[in-house]
Amino acid sequence: MPSFDALLAMPGAAIALQAVGSLIAVLLVFLVVRALGLGDDVRIADESEARALAEAAHCGFDPVEVALDRARIGALLRNRAGEVMLIRRHGARFAARVLSSHAGARLDRGFLTLSTDDPNFGTITLDLGEKAQVWAASMRRLGAHA
């Protein structure tokens, strides 16, 4: 059996060794990403999960009305006080904001596009179907943009 130095002296051996090392590194990164749950296709399962997300985001927010996006990437929730919370997918998790204004709302048929005062939260378009018009109209009660 030839020595390690003799193997490296063979034409293309160093390149093959680099390729094997790179493949092992890529597989290790893949395993770490899977173990951390990164890259999953996260969606809101149902209204009860949306309610739980709202409670986790804002203690005491008790929704009485929920509208889920058809793709389950976001939701709108309203509590008894008339406050509206927007939940949206943010990477492999969900982020939520209580909306203070209807100024960032735009209706286009069954789609409701919403943005907040928080530039880090971004803008989301929810496919609410027939509920989009009802939610857009009811959000006017939130007041003018301050």
Side-chain angles (χ1 to χ4, degrees), residues 19-124:
V20 169
S22 295
L23 181 60
I24 290 171
V26 167
L27 288 174
L28 286 174
V29 169
F30 172 77
L31 291 174
V32 168
V33 166
R34 292 299 272 176
L36 293 175
L38 303 175
D40 288 344
D41 186 20
V42 180
R43 302 198 185 245
I44 301 172
D46 53 22
E47 285 188 14
S48 64
E49 184 180 3
R51 291 174 193 275
L53 288 168
E55 172 64 28
H58 189 276
C59 186
F61 192 92
D62 186 22
V64 294
E65 190 175 357
V66 178
L68 291 175
D69 174 74
R70 287 185 181 173
R72 311 280 186 182
I73 60 169
L76 283 174
L77 303 96
R78 184 183 341 275
N79 66 10
R80 292 191 197 290
E83 295 175 308
V84 175
M85 179 181 287
L86 170 61
I87 297 176
R88 67 165 294 161
R89 185 168 63 183
H90 185 73
R93 305 211 187 283
F94 289 95
R97 297 290 185 276
V98 175
L99 301 176
S100 59
S101 168
H102 72 279
R106 289 188 320 274
L107 176 66
D108 181 20
R109 296 185 187 153
F111 297 93
L112 186 57
T113 301
L114 299 163
S115 60
T116 67
D117 295 333
D118 183 356
N120 296 320
F121 193 73
T123 300
I124 184 169

Side-chain angles (χ1 to χ4, degrees), residues 6-23:
L7 285 175
L8 285 179
M10 298 173 101
I15 293 173
L17 189 59
Q18 278 183 330
V20 169
S22 295
L23 181 60

